[in-house]
Amino acid sequence: MNEYNGKKPVTIVTGCLGSGKTTIIQKILLNKGYTEDFAVIVNEFGQVGLDHHLIRRAEERTVLLNGGCICCNSREDLEEELKTLLYADESGKETFDRVIIETTGLADPAPILFTIMSNPLLQNRYVIDCVVTTIDAKNGKIHLKNNPEIYKQLSVADKVIVTKVDIASKTEISELVTSIKGINPVCEIIYSVDGNVDPNVVKLNKSSIGISSINVNDISNKNHLSNDIQSISFTFSKPLNWVAFGLWLSMLLHAEGESILRVKGLLDVGEEGPIVLNGVQHIIHPPQHLDFWPEGENVSHIIFILREINTDKLSDSLFSFQKFLDTELSFLEHLKI
């Protein structure tokens, strides 16, 4: 597991009720050609753990948490279960390569990420690899209209699986994908029939970050329930000062963390390869240093998905900070001469 520096990767699968999360996980577990060994944590809101039993037929290392939604009031259950899995793996009792966490349809995935990344033991032994969101092609527009939580689930997704495409029209699928891209322009869209997907959907392909094609512009979602969600992207042709950029980003997240739904970027900081930046709200994943540029273009790209933040102010803040930094560096270089 060198790819994860010895840590256990975690995949979070989220999406509205009935969008196909359980079916997809079950099909992945049943795929005999996949080499990773999974441990699955199912968060079932309520007293009847039906989803848990469906998955258990395919995979015995399945744990049910039904004391409430782990995205809000029962994160202690998640912490303890992840620790228990670690102890079982280290003792050789039940080994696994990856953890899949299936959330309830009501879940905000951000607190789940925070639970793992804020606990000293868990953050040293686990790494959030990928967030997958499922959405029903036939009923997706209804969910977008009636279920505000889907906007958060889509905003934080690395990959969005559009399910049940066999029973939806081309127009329905096209309109839904347009809405998804309006919320999260950098997510990877995957289509599924009967829950069938490439098992590698649970893994984030770090050699294909998928943001360099995004233009520097605002993309505002027009749905009346999400008109406060916007995205803005930036491109820098010159290397960024990593320390200074980190300072600016830290100040931004400290002031507006709850409104920064997603941060994603490939940053040129003067090294051989870029730094991969990935964050949800005030939670920034440990930056990854790549050995090469995935698409051969040494240009920094960064995108923010925001809620109730003026994109003009954000842009002015970033460029003013960068301009101030360039002036300071020039002055210091002059002093050295």
Side-chain angles (χ1 to χ4, degrees), residues 118-336:
S118 63
N119 181 286
L121 174 61
L122 298 183
Q123 67 176 289
N124 286 322
R125 305 305 300 277
Y126 290 103
V127 58
I128 303 294
D129 184 40
C130 191
V131 178
V132 179
T133 298
T134 58
I135 187 167
D136 181 340
K138 187 67 178 177
N139 300 304
K141 292 187 70 174
I142 297 175
H143 287 312
L144 288 170
K145 181 178 180 180
N146 298 326
N147 301 308
E149 63 272 6
I150 189 63
Y151 289 96
K152 190 62 172 294
Q153 294 169 350
L154 290 171
S155 295
V156 303
D158 298 297
K159 302 180 180 181
V160 174
I161 301 178
V162 180
T163 63
K164 307 177 186 178
V165 294
D166 54 318
I167 61 173
S169 68
K170 291 182 179 180
T171 298
E172 287 174 320
I173 296 170
S174 176
E175 290 178 352
L176 179 60
V177 169
T178 298
S179 295
I180 293 170
K181 284 296 187 179
I183 298 166
N184 185 345
V186 295
C187 67
E188 178 184 352
I189 303 290
I190 298 164
Y191 301 94
S192 173
V193 176
D194 295 328
N196 292 305
V197 292
D198 184 335
N200 286 299
V201 71
V202 299
K203 301 179 66 175
L204 184 63
N205 182 3
K206 297 177 179 60
S207 65
S208 180
I209 307 302
I211 68 169
S212 61
S213 61
I214 304 299
N215 294 322
V216 183
N217 61 352
D218 278 350
I219 310 169
S220 300
N221 191 283
K222 302 303 183 183
N223 187 285
H224 72 281
L225 284 176
S226 66
N227 55 13
D228 59 343
I229 295 178
Q230 301 179 81
S231 61
I232 185 169
S233 61
F234 301 97
T235 298
F236 295 93
S237 58
K238 296 180 180 180
L240 293 171
N241 183 298
W242 174 236
V243 175
F245 179 82
L247 177 61
W248 174 83
L249 182 60
S250 296
M251 292 189 296
L252 173 67
L253 296 179
H254 179 74
E256 302 286 355
E258 292 298 317
S259 298
I260 308 294
L261 300 183
R262 188 68 191 272
V263 182
K264 193 171 185 179
L266 280 178
L267 303 181
D268 178 9
V269 295
E271 298 179 355
E272 188 70 21
I275 288 179
V276 179
L277 187 66
N278 197 359
V280 175
Q281 290 190 324
H282 55 283
I283 310 161
I284 295 294
H285 296 216
Q288 295 179 306
H289 295 252
L290 300 186
D291 296 330
F292 61 94
W293 284 85
E295 298 177 23
E297 184 181 11
N298 298 35
V299 176
S300 295
H301 300 279
I302 185 168
I303 186 166
F304 294 87
I305 301 176
L306 315 165
R307 181 176 56 200
E308 298 179 343
I309 291 182
N310 186 299
T311 54
D312 290 335
K313 290 183 178 179
L314 178 69
S315 179
D316 290 344
S317 170
L318 176 55
F319 284 111
S320 295
F321 191 89
Q322 190 70 19
K323 184 177 180 180
F324 171 78
L325 175 65
D326 290 342
T327 302
E328 289 294 302
L329 290 176
S330 297
F331 178 69
L332 292 175
E333 284 297 321
H334 179 73
L335 288 180
K336 288 181 181 180

